Amino acid sequence: MGKRYFCDYCDRSFQDNLHNRKKHLNGVQHLRAKKVWYDLFRDAAAILVEEQNKRPCRKFLETGQCDFDSNCRFSHMTSGDLEQLAAQVHEERLSREQDIVEVPEGGIEDWLEKRAKRRSSAQSSSMLSTKPVVFQYPPGWPPIQDLPPSLRAPPPGGWPQQPHVQWG
């Protein structure tokens, strides 16, 4: 049957070849679906600016429905919706301004001194806590004598040095 291409934006699949894919990706239905998808992630300030610049949709105001839906070039928002959106934008700006962290006084020299102190204290504490690592097999494994050599723990002194042998 051949490979099929599934378009996540349009929620449909078709036979995958260059002609079909190019035709689909340049199609009006795909471009509209892609625009609607990306519009879901826009911030409220961008939506507010765009909606304020549009004229109200006459058909939507009269009937409450529009044949073009999200693709309509006119605004489907009422004045109440626009006020709520403006309030949301205002709240987001205030929260962003409150989240700004003040940078403490001082320069790079102060930071470098603190960094050097942290590193020296970390090195001294790591030198004190060097304990030999005790190897333990995972629970449920067979007895050590039944394990293949590749899964056995190395001897306590490490593997013996082999004489220098040339391969090949």
Side-chain angles (χ1 to χ4, degrees):
M1 182 167 144
K3 293 183 181 179
R4 298 198 54 84
Y5 177 81
F6 182 78
C7 179
D8 290 320
Y9 300 115
C10 304
D11 223 8
R12 62 180 294 236
S13 67
F14 50 87
Q15 186 178 4
D16 189 19
N17 60 42
L18 182 63
H19 174 73
N20 288 350
R21 190 183 291 204
K22 190 182 264 188
K23 187 176 178 182
H24 174 76
L25 294 178
N26 292 328
V28 174
Q29 180 185 4
H30 174 77
L31 294 175
R32 284 183 180 161
K34 186 176 171 184
K35 182 185 180 302
V36 167
W37 171 256
Y38 281 104
D39 285 349
L40 293 173
F41 303 105
R42 290 189 319 174
D43 61 332
I47 294 171
L48 179 65
V49 169
E50 184 178 312
E51 291 295 324
Q52 285 176 337
N53 292 332
K54 290 180 179 180
R55 292 189 315 199
C57 180
R58 187 176 51 174
K59 185 165 186 171
F60 187 78
L61 291 175
E62 291 173 0
T63 63
Q65 290 183 344
C66 178
D67 296 334
F68 297 103
D69 197 29
S70 61
N71 298 318
C72 185
R73 65 182 183 149
F74 299 107
S75 176
H76 291 175
M77 288 191 157
T78 63
S79 59
D81 294 338
L82 287 174
E83 289 174 6
Q84 286 178 348
L85 194 56
Q88 181 183 351
V89 168
H90 184 67
E91 289 175 13
E92 288 176 1
R93 283 186 187 147
L94 289 177
S95 66
R96 261 188 264 132
E97 289 173 1
Q98 291 173 355
D99 290 342
I100 295 175
V101 178
E102 291 189 25
V103 178
E105 294 287 327
I108 188 80
E109 293 83 15
D110 297 335
W111 182 82
L112 287 171
E113 288 176 18
K114 289 178 184 176
R115 180 175 173 242
K117 288 179 185 176
R118 282 195 311 263
R119 282 190 166 188
S120 64
S121 65
Q123 287 177 353
S124 64
S125 65
S126 67
M127 288 181 187
L128 298 175
S129 64
T130 54
K131 297 178 184 175
V133 178
V134 179
F135 183 82
Q136 292 182 345
Y137 288 100
W141 275 34
I144 297 172
Q145 60 271 15
D146 293 343
L147 289 174
S150 63
L151 293 179
R152 292 185 188 156
W159 299 107
Q161 289 288 339
Q162 299 293 326
H164 182 65
V165 179
Q166 283 200 344
W167 288 80

